Amino acid sequence: MSSLRFVVQLHRARRLHYDFRLEVGGVLVSWAVPKGPTLDPKVRRAAFHVDDHPMEYVAFEGVIPAGTYGGGDVIVWDAGHWVPYKDADPKAAIAGGELHIELHGEKLRGKFVMVRTRADEWLLLKKRDEFAADGWEASAFPLSVLSGRSSDEVKADPEWFWRSDLPAARAAVPARPGMRDIDLAGLNAIRENGTWEVFGRPLRVTNLSKVLFAARGGEDPVTKRELLRYTAEMAFVVQPYLAGRALNLHRFPGGAATKGFWQKALPSHAPDWLPRWAEPGSGTEYLVVDEPAALVWAANFGGLEWHPWTSTVDEPERPSYALIDLDPGDGTAWEDLLVLARLHRTAFEHLEVRAWAKVTGRRGIQVWVPVERGPGFAETRAWVERLSRSVGAVVPELVSWAWEKAERGGRARLDFTQNAVNKTLVAPYSPRPAPGAPVSAPIAWDELDDPALRPDGFTIRTIGSRLAERGDLFSGVLHTAQRLPPL
């Protein structure tokens, strides 16, 4: 019999597991192996028979949107071909509950046997041969054989999404489409209301000529059409900061000049294709931007500000970042805020902590400190409070620790209280509700010394050229995990 394909995909959904898939009869017959395959012949691995997958899935590596079957990140942990030995008919052997296989992969090689113990429960065992290795653990080899990337790297910057609602031949959708893949001509062709096909999703758009942001500095005001264009063009940049996280929307359906309100729960009329997450306990269904079209939907829904949770939906009690919010008071001059930001910069250099800053698009500066998964919010909040109080002690005349704004005497607050479940800071590149449509823009630390820097100096009309020139200055938060040092 000619060789057949196999793949093992490391899949982080509700729980981490390894999907062991064999080509049989034109489909991928599949088992979930919680602890992963092993080359140790003394070890038995539990394997749970799951639904067959289409052959188009054999090389998939990327993200399955939250709220859909198998939502999570996937890497191709091993791949190659296999041949049955002892069994002339693999399909009949599986039905009979015992399958002997020989794998020719990059990590898994040699002979294995799969034995059904009951119902869909199986054991995966390595035969003792020249490839056997005592003590061999899958977790010691965490990188993809396809891209060389880790699960964290693929999750932070996926190349593909798997859309189970589409035919298998089209289910793998590019996560980072180029500008040519955005149908801006389709948007431009709609006069006021219509359906725009964006990133493969039909989106009903309305009131495209409506002014959402007043004019600034002699420029034209910003309409809803321009906001949707900006969101689509920036979606592939913004989406990694939102993926796998509940999203709180600050909605201004009447425009930035009107009073906004917070929208956390998805409305009942939200389209079924939107990725979502139901919060345990409350049952509140949140939008999760696991695909670019979801962000465009949010903007069309009046979400002018995008606020992702600090934690991911798989572990909502464990933050990915420690957050520092330099919140100016009524009497805080921009130069005073820069003094506070520079002091934090010095503190990070002294502590050898990597942190990334951005101007808020309003009056402030915010800093995200990526942390390795483990500490809870109480720990990150306590760490940020100690750091900020140390900085504040250097310039006490600039800082107030009063909770109520009216009691701060116009001074700045170094707000550590945002380090809590469902407390958020605005996402990088999110618009802010002010004239000219300013955005929360990442900056390099040395820009704190640039006299031209302003907290609202970048807008949806100018951030694109800055991004093309400087790149994404915030992307380091997606690829850094560090322990917070004691203070």
Side-chain angles (χ1 to χ4, degrees):
M1 178 180 289
S2 61
S3 63
L4 302 162
R5 297 180 73 179
F6 88 92
V7 66
V8 181
Q9 287 155 316
L10 177 53
H11 184 183
R12 300 191 302 182
R14 284 181 298 176
R15 294 181 177 85
L16 181 150
H17 63 278
Y18 296 75
D19 289 318
F20 185 84
R21 309 189 192 278
L22 302 174
E23 179 185 357
V24 178
V27 298
L28 293 172
V29 180
S30 302
W31 292 261
V33 185
K35 294 186 178 180
T38 179
L39 296 180
D40 190 337
K42 302 188 302 300
V43 175
R44 298 180 174 189
R45 288 293 195 229
F48 300 90
H49 194 196
V50 296
D51 292 342
D52 296 344
H53 277 53
M55 284 303 302
E56 289 85 351
Y57 195 72
V58 71
F60 175 72
E61 178 169 291
V63 167
I64 304 171
T68 62
Y69 176 74
D73 53 86
V74 176
I75 65 168
V76 176
W77 181 83
D78 196 19
H81 67 272
W82 75 282
V83 292
Y85 74 97
K86 289 191 178 183
D87 306 308
D89 184 350
K91 191 172 183 179
I94 293 171
E98 183 170 318
L99 177 66
H100 296 263
I101 59 179
E102 183 176 315
L103 299 181
H104 299 269
E106 296 192 35
K107 297 176 183 176
L108 301 178
R109 300 184 69 82
K111 293 180 178 180
F112 296 75
V113 62
M114 302 193 72
V115 180
R116 183 169 58 224
T117 56
R118 60 180 180 180
D120 288 330
E121 298 179 18
W122 292 62
L123 292 176
L124 174 61
L125 304 96
K126 178 74 180 77
K127 304 290 285 186
R128 190 169 288 281
D129 57 17
E130 66 268 33
F131 299 106
D134 291 346
W136 196 94
E137 290 288 344
S139 59
F141 306 90
L143 301 184
S144 163
V145 299
L146 187 66
S147 65
R149 299 200 296 168
S150 69
S151 294
D152 284 340
E153 289 172 323
V154 168
K155 178 181 179 179
D157 188 19
E159 294 185 6
W160 298 94
F161 295 117
W162 184 264
R163 292 263 304 275
S164 56
D165 61 316
L166 295 177
R170 296 193 292 113
V173 176
R176 295 178 291 183
M179 295 293 292
R180 65 186 180 277
D181 298 311
I182 306 170
D183 183 19
L184 296 180
L187 177 64
N188 293 336
I190 300 172
R191 282 195 167 192
E192 191 68 13
N193 307 305
T195 299
W196 179 28
E197 188 81 11
V198 58
F199 300 120
R201 297 295 194 183
L203 184 65
R204 176 68 180 171
V205 296
T206 59
N207 304 317
L208 291 177
S209 62
K210 183 175 185 175
V211 171
L212 294 183
F213 303 86
R216 183 174 81 169
E219 298 179 347
D220 292 334
V222 176
T223 65
K224 185 175 182 180
R225 187 190 304 275
E226 189 170 359
L227 173 67
L228 295 186
R229 183 187 303 119
Y230 168 79
T231 305
E233 291 174 345
M234 292 294 293
F236 70 99
V237 177
V238 180
Q239 193 262 338
Y241 300 103
L242 312 180
R245 301 174 188 275
L247 186 69
N248 298 340
L249 292 176
H250 203 185
R251 289 186 61 210
F252 296 79
T258 65
K259 185 174 177 57
F261 58 92
W262 288 99
Q263 177 101 29
K264 297 185 178 182
L266 272 176
S268 59
H269 59 76
D272 292 340
W273 58 261
L274 281 177
R276 61 196 69 203
W277 170 70
E279 182 183 20
S282 74
T284 301
E285 255 193 350
Y286 288 82
L287 174 65
V288 180
V289 180
D290 276 348
E291 58 174 286
L295 186 61
V296 184
W297 176 89
N300 185 59
F301 187 50
L304 301 194
E305 286 189 336
W306 314 322
H307 288 248
W309 280 30
T310 314
S311 54
T312 53
V313 297
D314 56 339
E315 286 196 271
E317 301 292 333
R318 306 229 174 251
S320 309
Y321 315 109
L323 303 177
I324 298 165
D325 186 11
L326 309 185
D327 185 13
D330 294 337
T332 304
W334 173 235
E335 184 56 41
D336 294 336
L337 201 73
L338 289 173
V339 168
L340 293 170
R342 292 172 190 139
L343 287 171
H344 278 86
R345 177 180 63 184
T346 300
F348 293 133
E349 292 171 350
H350 175 73
L351 294 167
E352 298 183 344
V353 167
R354 301 191 69 194
W356 281 262
K358 60 187 180 69
V359 291
T360 64
R362 299 302 294 268
R363 297 183 59 224
I365 295 174
Q366 295 168 350
V367 182
W368 291 18
V369 182
V371 298
E372 67 177 21
R373 186 168 293 197
F377 280 100
E379 294 163 271
T380 56
R381 184 167 58 252
W383 189 87
V384 173
E385 180 179 7
R386 287 194 294 271
L387 176 72
S388 293
R389 288 191 182 275
S390 299
V391 168
V394 178
V395 283
E397 70 280 5
L398 299 182
V399 177
S400 171
W401 302 103
W403 179 264
E404 296 293 338
K405 188 172 184 178
E407 299 175 1
R408 297 177 197 166
R411 290 173 291 174
R413 175 175 166 80
L414 306 182
D415 190 359
F416 53 84
T417 63
Q418 296 300 110
N419 293 279
V421 173
N422 205 349
K423 291 231 176 173
T424 60
L425 295 183
V426 68
Y429 306 105
S430 170
R432 306 306 304 274
V439 299
S440 183
I443 60 172
W445 281 111
D446 60 7
E447 288 185 278
L448 294 176
D449 304 315
D450 183 351
L453 182 68
R454 292 294 179 269
D456 60 352
F458 305 102
T459 72
I460 68 171
R461 290 171 175 161
T462 63
I463 193 66
S465 59
R466 175 178 168 84
L467 192 66
E469 179 183 347
R470 302 289 301 270
D472 183 3
L473 296 174
F474 217 61
S475 63
V477 305
L478 302 172
H479 310 298
T480 303
Q482 59 192 336
R483 293 186 179 182
L484 297 176
L487 297 176

